[in-house]
Amino acid sequence: MENSSIIKIENLTKRFPSGNGEFTALHNINLEIGKGEFTGLVGPSGSGKTTLLNIIGSLDSPTEGKAAILGQEVSSLTHRQSAELRNYHIGFIFQTYNLLPVYTVFENVEFALLLQKNWTAYERRKAVMEALDWVGLTDKAGSKPAQLSGGESQRVAIARAMVKRPEIVLADEPSANLDAKNSHHIVQTMKKLNKELQTTFVFATHDEKVMQYLDRIISLKDGMIEKEEKQNA
């Protein structure tokens, strides 16, 4: 997209049922994120950052307001259209890795491409090995997740998110289960891919080790944007 706000959120409010009433997780959020940004939604637990990340990833939709992702309004998408948006255009990285234990590293990364159904076996193999090379794990292609360290597991998760070359990668507390050394390594890997491929990264985090690498910090408190800061310019 030209000058591209590939994520555009307008007057977004999200409520959830709670007991006999409702809980408002997000209040009147307005936000734009452009192509190639390395941005974090930052705040304590309960601030709304994961809820907002889920809406950006079309895993949920606003109660009020709009969320347009790559020009598609989340609320107007069918289940199939939401799945296609995620499968083709959005990569996800979670704090728990979510690797399938019975599959090899290669098969875990390949799984993202099998969902697209438009790759030949040769193309899939080439793309998977390239993604593993990005994260320095080509030598682990035949290993099972149980044979990996936490840092290696998260690097496999990055490769799985990146193998389809999505426009957007959403990372929810990606360093939560890692020590300091591995946290830095993981975020440096993502920063490198951000620069080389112009992939937009959006983090939900309260980890200072992650925050120091972000180009833009969007601070949330009680479901509202408290402030925005640019850094590393």
Side-chain angles (χ1 to χ4, degrees):
M1 288 182 166
E2 187 69 25
N3 181 24
S4 39
S5 289
I6 62 175
I7 297 166
K8 187 170 184 179
I9 292 168
E10 298 178 273
N11 305 319
L12 185 151
T13 293
K14 180 63 181 180
R15 301 188 192 92
F16 294 101
S18 177
N20 294 325
E22 289 183 321
F23 167 68
T24 303
L26 295 170
H27 302 257
N28 197 37
I29 299 291
N30 288 279
L31 176 64
E32 292 191 33
I33 298 174
K35 180 175 175 58
E37 283 201 50
F38 203 73
T39 297
L41 307 173
V42 172
S45 296
S47 59
K49 57 187 187 296
T50 295
T51 300
L52 184 52
L53 205 71
N54 286 342
I55 291 173
I56 293 171
S58 81
L59 294 168
D60 205 346
S61 58
T63 306
E64 297 171 10
K66 294 181 178 180
I69 312 302
L70 297 165
Q72 299 187 62
E73 170 55 48
V74 168
S75 297
S76 68
L77 299 177
T78 64
H79 286 301
R80 180 174 179 175
Q81 288 169 332
S82 289
E84 286 182 353
L85 179 63
R86 292 190 296 271
N87 290 343
Y88 287 86
H89 303 288
I90 303 174
F92 293 88
I93 301 169
F94 304 98
Q95 67 184 58
T96 51
Y97 321 138
N98 291 351
L99 303 181
L100 299 167
V102 298
Y103 289 166
T104 64
V105 165
F106 180 96
E107 290 166 337
N108 267 280
V109 176
E110 184 185 36
F111 187 73
L113 300 181
L114 293 173
L115 293 173
Q116 294 189 352
K117 305 186 187 307
N118 60 343
W119 296 73
T120 66
Y122 171 79
E123 289 169 338
R124 286 198 307 271
R125 177 169 183 78
K126 183 179 178 184
V128 170
M129 294 309 294
E130 182 177 32
L132 290 176
D133 185 50
W134 289 338
V135 298
L137 286 177
T138 53
D139 60 328
K140 299 287 186 180
S143 300
K144 296 284 183 68
Q147 299 171 288
L148 304 176
S149 69
E152 287 170 339
S153 295
Q154 194 60 301
R155 281 152 64 196
V156 174
I158 293 170
R160 180 182 56 194
M162 294 298 301
V163 68
K164 58 192 178 185
R165 291 179 177 258
E167 289 94 326
I168 300 167
V169 170
L170 305 178
D172 193 358
E173 302 285 7
S175 61
N177 294 324
L178 302 176
D179 60 26
K181 181 180 177 182
N182 275 307
S183 293
H184 285 293
H185 188 125
I186 289 300
V187 186
Q188 286 166 358
T189 299
M190 289 191 270
K191 187 79 169 180
K192 181 171 180 282
L193 292 169
N194 161 254
K195 295 297 184 189
E196 290 180 0
L197 302 176
Q198 278 296 291
T199 306
T200 300
F201 278 79
V202 184
F203 293 78
T205 187
H206 60 269
D207 186 343
E208 295 281 350
K209 297 186 294 295
V210 173
M211 289 164 61
Q212 66 184 273
Y213 291 96
L214 300 173
D215 297 329
R216 181 178 169 204
I217 292 175
I218 298 158
S219 298
L220 289 132
K221 184 178 180 181
D222 299 328
M224 294 179 280
I225 294 179
E226 189 175 40
K227 61 180 177 179
E228 295 190 42
E229 304 167 87
K230 291 195 174 181
Q231 57 181 21
N232 303 325

